Amino acid sequence: MTTTRPVSKAESAHPEAEVAFAAFIRRLAHDAATLRAIKSGKVDAILDPASGRAILLPEAREALRRGAAPANQILATLPREEYQRLLAAGLEPVTLALGEVLHEPGELIRQIYFPNESLLVSLVTRIQNHGALEIALVGSEGMVGLPVAQGIGTASVRAVAQGTGTALRMEAARFCEALGTCLALQRALHRYTHALIAQITQTAACNRFHQVEARLARWLLMASDRLQSNLIRFTHEWLADLLGVRRVGVTVAASALQQQRLIQYSRGNITILDREGLKASACECYQKIKDIFDCA
Ligand SMILES: [Zn+2]
């Protein structure tokens, strides 16, 4: 255990969110000794026994400290009282790791997730003997587990975290209950559903008709928009899976973009150097998808 500095009352910008966070921690701390250790600031992380995940306290605290203006764009559009209602109903912070699967096709969706800007989640489908292919990318503009909002409890695709990041999550059953009284959230999810279907439709055509280099440029811009950063941490293997091509195809495409000084690629990191140039290299799909999300 290492030392974590406790947050003082004066630093608490949103008291309601701090209360919700405290309730969340109390649910995880099963005995008085654990609670004392957390309160004394002697721990950096605790284990969520429901999922086996480590909850990093500084990140979890930060997620809820931003309670009045959550990082997720859907939650950020909600009236304050509606957001507080979701917190009270069990919306809680979680840290996800690279490769963590949130749901598999045919499985019951047990949790829904609202990613913060640090997290990307790929919706992936698999074709027998052909590997995986990304059909949509979800970041801070969206929600994972959307079928639950339409009364569908079973997933049709795999949802997998692309890197370590934070989100706010909620049990699907409690989310359904809360959604019935959250009219602004209902409207926001209708708009997001429309935009997500448009993204999936455009991605299907993109994967069939556009070259790998243009698709890679499109994907990097989409990831950058959602992460609000020009630095994207990925590997050739992941990108090959996402784009549905062989690893060598990603190497050739990334090298071509790097030679044009649009990106810099080093082990595990891609940095966008020239955003406008990368837009010019991307297929039309990037702007079409972006326009739909901007208008949604
Ligand atoms: Zn395209």
Side-chain angles (χ1 to χ4, degrees):
M1 286 184 178
T2 54
T3 302
T4 299
R5 186 175 61 86
V7 176
S8 71
K9 291 282 184 194
E11 289 176 274
S12 178
H14 307 296
E16 303 95 328
E18 287 293 327
V19 168
F21 177 70
F24 164 67
I25 294 301
R26 276 196 295 274
R27 283 203 301 277
L28 292 185
H30 288 297
D31 55 67
T34 305
L35 199 55
R36 277 199 300 277
I38 294 168
K39 284 180 176 174
S40 68
K42 289 179 180 172
V43 296
D44 279 335
I46 54 174
L47 195 67
D48 178 358
S51 63
R53 296 188 188 103
I55 307 296
L56 303 177
L57 294 190
E59 291 180 39
R61 182 183 298 118
E62 182 61 23
L64 280 179
R65 281 185 69 191
R66 299 170 70 168
N72 179 276
Q73 291 168 36
I74 290 177
L75 296 178
T77 65
L78 303 183
R80 184 182 175 86
E81 61 275 13
E82 207 165 288
Y83 178 58
Q84 296 298 334
R85 212 178 302 150
L86 291 172
L87 286 175
L91 189 68
E92 61 186 11
V94 63
T95 301
L96 301 172
L98 171 67
E100 195 162 336
V101 175
L102 309 188
H103 57 62
E104 291 277 15
E107 278 186 5
L108 206 61
I109 300 173
R110 299 184 187 284
Q111 310 272 358
I112 60 94
Y113 297 81
F114 291 99
N116 294 331
E117 72 265 335
S118 61
L119 180 68
L120 289 177
V121 176
S122 283
L123 303 186
V124 173
T125 189
R126 294 192 79 88
I127 302 291
Q128 206 169 8
N129 302 326
H130 288 281
L133 180 64
E134 182 185 87
I135 52 105
L137 186 63
V138 182
S140 59
E141 86 296 348
M143 171 187 151
V144 178
L146 194 58
V148 171
Q150 275 94 43
I152 308 295
T154 306
S156 59
V157 294
R158 166 185 278 201
V160 57
Q162 302 289 359
T164 298
T166 60
L168 292 177
R169 75 170 176 192
M170 197 169 176
E171 284 181 19
R174 298 182 81 172
F175 174 76
C176 277
E177 255 180 55
L179 185 61
T181 62
C182 293
L183 298 182
L185 180 58
Q186 289 176 24
R187 288 193 293 272
L189 291 180
H190 286 153
R191 291 193 297 274
Y192 177 63
T193 300
H194 165 72
L196 186 66
I197 290 172
Q199 183 191 162
I200 292 169
T201 306
Q202 194 69 37
T203 303
C206 186
N207 286 333
R208 170 65 181 84
F209 292 116
H210 291 152
Q211 299 297 314
V212 177
E213 186 180 319
R215 285 161 53 199
L216 176 60
R218 183 261 296 169
W219 192 90
L220 291 172
L221 289 165
M222 286 178 62
S224 168
D225 288 348
R226 285 155 178 77
L227 292 169
Q228 296 175 27
S229 167
N230 283 327
L231 174 65
I232 300 151
R233 299 181 195 280
F234 281 101
T235 64
H236 276 102
E237 290 84 353
W238 273 111
L239 282 171
D241 248 11
L242 299 182
L243 297 170
V245 297
R246 292 176 187 276
R247 183 178 160 164
V248 66
V250 174
T251 305
V252 170
S255 297
L257 294 175
Q258 184 163 255
Q259 278 173 8
Q260 297 167 64
R261 300 184 185 282
L262 302 178
I263 66 168
Q264 184 173 34
Y265 182 81
S266 60
R267 196 179 184 86
N269 290 330
I270 290 178
T271 304
I272 296 175
L273 301 176
D274 178 353
R275 194 172 184 80
E276 290 307 311
L278 195 61
K279 280 184 187 175
S281 289
C283 54
E284 68 201 59
C285 305
Y286 167 68
Q287 197 59 48
K288 281 189 173 177
I289 292 170
K290 187 174 187 309
D291 288 347
I292 291 166
F293 273 93
D294 288 348
C295 293

